[in-house]
Amino acid sequence: MPGTDGLSSSSARPLKIEPCEHRVSLEDEIRLLRRQMEMLFIQEKSFTSKPVVEASTRLDLKLNEYMKVRFAGN
C-alpha cells in the first residue's frame, strides 16, 4: 500500500509512471531561453559578456533541436 508520501512499500506493486502532461514544448523552451538571454543582456549591458554568450549558445542549441524535429520528415 502506498505511504502518505505517494511512494509504494516494498510489498506493493511498483507505481506506474505516467508521462508528464505538463512537459514544456520546444517552443516554450525557446521562448524561455530567449527571455533569459534578453534579461542577461539588460543586466550585463553587453552582447559579448560571458553569461549572455552562454545563454545565446543554449538558445542556439535549442533552436537547432527544434529545426531538426520540425523538418525531420522532409
Side-chain angles (χ1 to χ4, degrees):
M1 176 175 175
T4 57
D5 61 0
L7 300 175
S8 63
S9 67
S10 60
S11 63
R13 292 182 304 165
L15 294 175
K16 184 177 178 183
I17 305 296
E18 296 294 330
C20 180
E21 293 180 19
H22 300 291
R23 276 197 350 219
V24 178
S25 70
L26 276 174
E27 292 91 347
D28 290 337
E29 288 183 68
I30 289 167
R31 283 186 205 97
L32 176 64
L33 289 169
R34 181 183 173 109
R35 184 66 181 138
Q36 289 173 346
M37 185 184 68
E38 291 169 348
M39 295 300 291
L40 283 167
F41 168 73
I42 291 168
Q43 177 183 332
E44 299 287 326
K45 298 178 178 57
S46 170
F47 284 115
T48 58
S49 72
K50 187 174 180 176
V52 174
V53 171
E54 289 172 347
S56 176
T57 300
R58 287 190 302 273
L59 176 59
D60 287 344
L61 291 171
K62 192 56 67 174
L63 287 166
N64 289 338
E65 181 182 345
Y66 174 80
M67 296 302 282
K68 285 179 187 174
V69 169
R70 172 140 178 159
F71 296 105
N74 293 340

